[in-house]
Structures are given as structure tokens and as C-alpha cells.
């Protein structure tokens, strides 16, 4: 085995996290097909709504448990390693593994013994979520330590291994979910509540396997550092930006990441409580209507758009250590400017066609992953969700760039503005637009705050110029042409192949997907947009 492990480049790390993120998201979407079939059409709305509510609550606890520290660890470890201070990276890792494990234990106890009160506060008093929350509390014992280990590995620029651990986690989770659901619903003829309970336990199993894998990688990472790599304080240039190692420094670094990571989860929790209240108290809808509508935008469409979000996370996870290392080394403004322009182009190049593609085949996606009889309204919900996801992705990346370029206060102000816009628009838009209202409110919030964030970044780095404008315009036109071509292809293919069945809809998705990739690939090759991959291929993280 080669002792000297090769660090990932910016392109390689982005591609790895993109692929693992997409694969993980696809797995988390694909399992819905058999899961929904085994749950059955009668209980599927209630089961999806319940599962969605429970996981929104769980995600909030997850974010509190990790407290943004994995991203902060990644940033700090990259900064220390860029200066050869590997011993300090080890101190960080050990110290915060102990700290975060204790936090996980405390939160697990709160979830288990306080599940009833959590249901009252975060699920509009829906007591069906109590037992699943107790099952999920077990996962809190391992996940904070897993987050620290992931941040540590990413900080060493071995991002591909961190990404692969997510695939392992998802495969194990989905395998157990499907096994448990099939056993309960088909073999034992049980009820959907038991299936949901066992499905939530799967998170612990997946996280444990991912943690064991990363422990093995950590051993390899340590062996790859030679004595000559390690520098003492005397070896470090006097003008180097050396991070402190203390709790307050780490917390200052972690809290902004925590708040950025939290926004989507908090907005989803806000949706699940306010949507229920609006439909119960003002519109006087039945529990079944509320479950079915909430399941559409809060679980089913949300699962599908998370594939788009994983793309943003992949770019973002690469940006944090790369920018942090550049700033620590105090490289020239031109280098950072070039990286920033590449990030903007790369982000749009990946996320825009993915968004347009999902919009073009939204009806078939709904048929495959949910049911055909809901596909007309479901596809419209998915289209609006895709727009929300696009602006969220842009917002997320911009916020993370602000964090590492010393605009923490401004990034937090933009977060507050986003929350305020959402709160103000939620009631009027839900009453006016129904199921689309919460999605529209979030989209507008991300659009406005994303605009502010980009203006600030541009003011500091002066990244917008004629060349960047041309590049982004070409990417947009390529994506738009692809959208039109795929919509026409979809219309024609459906004339020949019925999309009323899951198999038929899958065939239509495959055909239209291949056409979309071919058209976008050809156009971006012809007009030079594809060169962005070559541009960042050799960009080293540090």
C-alpha cells in the first residue's frame, strides 16, 4: 500500500462529492418506490407526511448536534495543514470528538425522554411522531462523532473518502429500511406506523458503518504524513495567518456554519407547523387532506429536489477548505479572484441544467416515485420545488463563501432577512396559492438574500466582468435550449410510450435524460462552456 496518499484537487473533490451526493440522494429517492408500494395507496399520504415531519425534527437535532463544527473543523484543519502544523490538527480532532460525543449523548436523552414535548413544539402537536423520534435518538450517539471525522478528513483534502462514506451510510440505511418495511407490511401484514418506526432506526445502522470506514481512512491519513512534512512554529512565515486552537475560536468559526446549515431545516419545520395550522384553523381541512398536501411538498417533492441540493453541497464542501487555505497563505487577490469566477461558473454549469432537466420530466418523475394519479398536481409542486432548490443552492454556496472570506456578520444578517421574508410571506401566499405557497415564500426569500450576498462578494473580489457575463449567459442559453428540446422530446415520446405506469415513466425519463445530457454536452462543447471543467481541474485545495 502506498503510504503517501495523494490529495484531491478541487475538481476531483467536487466530482467525488457530487457523485456520492447524487448517488446518496438517488438511493434516498429510489427507496421511495418500493416503500410506497409496500405501504399501500391508502396509507401512503399519512406515512409520507409522518416520515417527513419526523425527519425534519431529526435534522434540526442533527444540526444542533454537529453545531457546524464539521465545516469549521474542515476549514481549521486545512488552514493548519497548509502551514505544516499537522500536530495541531490532531489536537483539534481529539478534543472536539470528545466534546461532540458528549453533546450527542445529551441530545439523545432529550429526544428519548422529551419526545412528547418535541412533538407539541415542532409537529403542531402530532403525537404520531413520538415513537419514531425515540427510535431516532439512538443515532444521535454516533452522528456527532461521525461529523467531526468527516470534517477532519475533508480538511486533509481527502474529500473523496469523506464523500464515499456518505454512500456507505446511505446504502446501509436504505437496505435496512426496505428489509424492515417489506417484513412488516408484506410478510407480517402490519401497519404503517411500525414500518415508519423501523425505517427511522436505519439511520443509526448507516451512520455506524460510515464511522467504521472513516476510522480506517484516518489511520491511513496519519501514516501518509512524514516527519519532513511537519513544521514547527519557527518554520512558519511570520506573516502567515495561524488559527488559534481554543474553544471560543472554534465556536466562533462553527456557529455561522451552523446557522447557514440550519436554514432549510428550520424553514421546513416552520412549513410543517404553519401549513397544518393554516389548513386546520383557517381552511378547516381534514387530517387526510393536510397529510396528502403536506406529503407532496414537504416529503415527496423535497426528496427529489435534494438531488439538486447535493450538487450545491458538493461545490460548497470543496470551496471551504480551498478558500480557507488560500486566505491562510495570503495568496494574491488575482488567484482568489480566479477561483471565485471558476466557482460561479462551475456552480451554474452544474445546477442550472439539472434544475431545468427535472422541470422538463417532472410528471414522469412523480409517476415513478409516487403515483400516477397524483402526477398532474404533483408535477406542478415539483416544478415550483425545483425553482426553490435552485435559489437555495446558490444562496448556500454564496453564504459559505461569505463565511470563509471574513464576512460572517453580513452573512448572518442575510440569514435573518431570509427568515423575516419567509415569515411575512407564509400566510398570505399559502392562502392565495395553497400547496405552492410555502415553496414560493422560501424561493423569494432565497432570491433576495442571494442577490445581497453576491453583491457583497463581488464588491470585495470584483469577480463580475465582461468575460464572466458572457460565460454565464452561454450556460443559461445552453440550459434553456436543452429544456425546450427535452420538453418536446417528452411530448413526442409519451405519444409512443405510455407514462401511466412506473416502467413506462422510467423509460421516458431515461430517453429524455440521455437526450438532455447529449444536447447540453454538445452545446457547451461548441460554445466553450465545457472548458470550466478544465479550468478547475488542476486547482489544488492547498
Amino acid at each position: 500500500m502506498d503510504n503517501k496518499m495523494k490529495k484531491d484537487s478541487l475538481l476531483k473533490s467536487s466530482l467525488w462529492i457530487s457523485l456520492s451526493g447524487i448517488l446518496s440522494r438517488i438511493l434516498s429517492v429510489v427507496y421511495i418506490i418500493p416503500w410506497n408500494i409496500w405501504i399501500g395507496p391508502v396509507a401512503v399520504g399519512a406515512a409520507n407526511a409522518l416520515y417527513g415531519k419526523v425527519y425534519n425534527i431529526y435534522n434540526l437535532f442533527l444540526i444542533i448536534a454537529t453545531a457546524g463544527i464539521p465545516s469549521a473543523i474542515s476549514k481549521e484543519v486545512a488552514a493548519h495543514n497548509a502551514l505544516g502544523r499537522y500536530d495541531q490538527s490532531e489536537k483539534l480532532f481529539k478534543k472536539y470528538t470528545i466534546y461532540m460525543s458528549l453533546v450527542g449523548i445529551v441530545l439523545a436523552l432529550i429526544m428519548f425522554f422529551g419526545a412528547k414535548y418535541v412533538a407539541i413544539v415542532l409537529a403542531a402537536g402530532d403525537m404520531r411522531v413520538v415513537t419514531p423520534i425515540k427510535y431516532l435518538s439512538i443515532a444521535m450517539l454516533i452522528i456527532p462523532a461521525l461529523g467531526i471525522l468527516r470534517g477532519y478528513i475533508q480538511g486533509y483534502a481527502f474529500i473523496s473518502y469523506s464523500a464515499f462514506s456518505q454512500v456507505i451510510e446511505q446504502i446501509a440505511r436504505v437496505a435496512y429500511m426496505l428489509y424492515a418495511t417489506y417484513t412488516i407490511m408484506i410478510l407480517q401484514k402490519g401497519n404503517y406506523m411500525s414500518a415508519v418506526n423501523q425505517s427511522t432506526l436505519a439511520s443509526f445502522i448507516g451512520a455506524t458503518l460510515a464511522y467504521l470506514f472513516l476510522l480506517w481512512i484516518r489511520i491511513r491519513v496519519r501514516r501518509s504524513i512524514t516527519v519532513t512534512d511537519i513544521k514547527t512554529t519557527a518554520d512558519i512565515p511570520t506573516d502567515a495567518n495561524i488559527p488559534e486552537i481554543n474553544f471560543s475560536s472554534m465556536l466562533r468559526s462553527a456557529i455561522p456554519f451552523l446557522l447557514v446549515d440550519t436554514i432549510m431545516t428550520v424553514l421546513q419545520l416552520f412549513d410543517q407547523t404553519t401549513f397544518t395550522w393554516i389548513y386546520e384553523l383557517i381552511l378547516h381541512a381534514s387530517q387526510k387532506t393536510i397529510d396528502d398536501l403536506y406529503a407532496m411538498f414537504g416529503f415527496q417533492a423535497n426528496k427529489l429536489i435534494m438531488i439538486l441540493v447535493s450538487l450545491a453541497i458538493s461545490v460548497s464542501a470543496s470551496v471551504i477548505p480551498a478558500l480557507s487555505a488560500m486566505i491562510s497563505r495570503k495568496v494574491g487577490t488575482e488567484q482568489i479572484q480566479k477561483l471565485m469566477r471558476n466557482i460561479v461558473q462551475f456552480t451554474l454549469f452544474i445546477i442550472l441544467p439539472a434544475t431545468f432537466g427535472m422541470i422538463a420530466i417532472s410528471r414522469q418523475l412523480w409517476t415513478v416515485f409516487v403515483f400516477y394519479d397524483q402526477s398532474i398536481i404533483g408535477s406542478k409542486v415539483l416544478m415550483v420545488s425545483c425553482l426553490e432548490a435552485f435559489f437555495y443552492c446558490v444562496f448556500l454556496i454564496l453564504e459559505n463563501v461569505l463565511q470563509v472570506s471574513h464576512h460572517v456578520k453580513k452573512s448572518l444578517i442575510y440569514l435573518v432577512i431570509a427568515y423575516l421574508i419567509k415569515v411575512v410571506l407564509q400566510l398570505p401566499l399559502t392562502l392565495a396559492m395553497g400547496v405552492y405557497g410555502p415553496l414560493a415564500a422560501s424561493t423569494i426569500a432565497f432570491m433576495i438574500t442571494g442577490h445581497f450576498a453576491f453583491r457583497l462578494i463581488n464588491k470585495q473580489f470584483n469577480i463580475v466582468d465582461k468575460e464572466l457575463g458572457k460565460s454565464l449567459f452561454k450556460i443559461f442559453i445552453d440550459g434553456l435550449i436543452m429544456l425546450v428540446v427535452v420538453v418536446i422530446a417528452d411530448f413526442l415520446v409519451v405519444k409512443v410510450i405510455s407514462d401511466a405506469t412506473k416502467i413506462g415513466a422510467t423509460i421516458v425519463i431515461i430517453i429524455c435524460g440521455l437526450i438532455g445530457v447529449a444536447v447540453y454536452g454538445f452545446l457547451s462543447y461548441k460554445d466553450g462552456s465545457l472548458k470550466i471543467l478544465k479550468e478547475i481541474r488542476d486547482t489544488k485545495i492547498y
Side-chain angles (χ1 to χ4, degrees), residues 462-477:
N462 195 26
I463 56 176
V464 174
D465 62 4
K466 207 171 182 180
E467 281 302 307
L468 182 66
K470 277 183 188 175
S471 301
L472 298 184
F473 183 71
K474 283 191 283 189
I475 290 169
F476 177 75
I477 294 299

Side-chain angles (χ1 to χ4, degrees), residues 293-370:
L293 290 176
Y294 176 74
M296 271 189 187
F297 82 89
F299 179 77
Q300 292 152 351
N302 188 55
K303 277 283 182 184
L304 289 164
I305 63 165
M306 288 311 289
I307 295 171
L308 295 178
V309 173
S310 69
L311 293 172
I313 291 168
S314 72
V315 177
S316 187
S318 302
V319 167
I320 291 166
L323 261 181
S324 178
M326 276 191 172
I327 290 165
S328 292
R329 292 203 315 268
K330 295 197 171 180
V331 301
T333 308
E334 283 184 18
Q335 261 186 281
I336 297 177
Q337 196 178 58
K338 186 183 177 186
L339 175 63
M340 295 294 300
R341 284 174 181 155
N342 287 342
I343 289 164
V344 171
Q345 280 181 252
F346 186 56
T347 301
L348 202 66
F349 181 81
I350 298 294
I351 296 171
L352 189 73
T355 306
F356 281 167
M358 285 187 72
I359 288 171
I361 55 171
S362 57
R363 182 158 183 180
Q364 287 78 31
L365 285 169
W366 201 270
T367 300
V368 170
F369 295 108
V370 195

Side-chain angles (χ1 to χ4, degrees), residues 343-419:
I343 289 164
V344 171
Q345 280 181 252
F346 186 56
T347 301
L348 202 66
F349 181 81
I350 298 294
I351 296 171
L352 189 73
T355 306
F356 281 167
M358 285 187 72
I359 288 171
I361 55 171
S362 57
R363 182 158 183 180
Q364 287 78 31
L365 285 169
W366 201 270
T367 300
V368 170
F369 295 108
V370 195
F371 290 109
Y372 176 72
D373 59 1
Q374 289 184 340
S375 64
I376 295 174
I377 184 171
S379 64
K380 291 174 185 173
V381 169
L382 182 54
M383 285 181 193
V384 180
S385 294
C386 284
L387 290 175
E388 179 202 14
F390 175 78
F391 287 107
Y392 170 68
C393 290
V394 173
F395 171 81
L396 178 70
I397 292 166
L398 291 172
E399 282 286 295
N400 276 319
V401 169
L402 287 177
Q403 301 282 343
V404 295
S405 57
H406 307 307
H407 288 294
V408 175
K409 284 183 183 176
K410 281 283 174 69
S411 76
L412 298 184
I413 289 168
Y414 297 153
L415 276 176
V416 172
I417 293 170
Y419 282 125

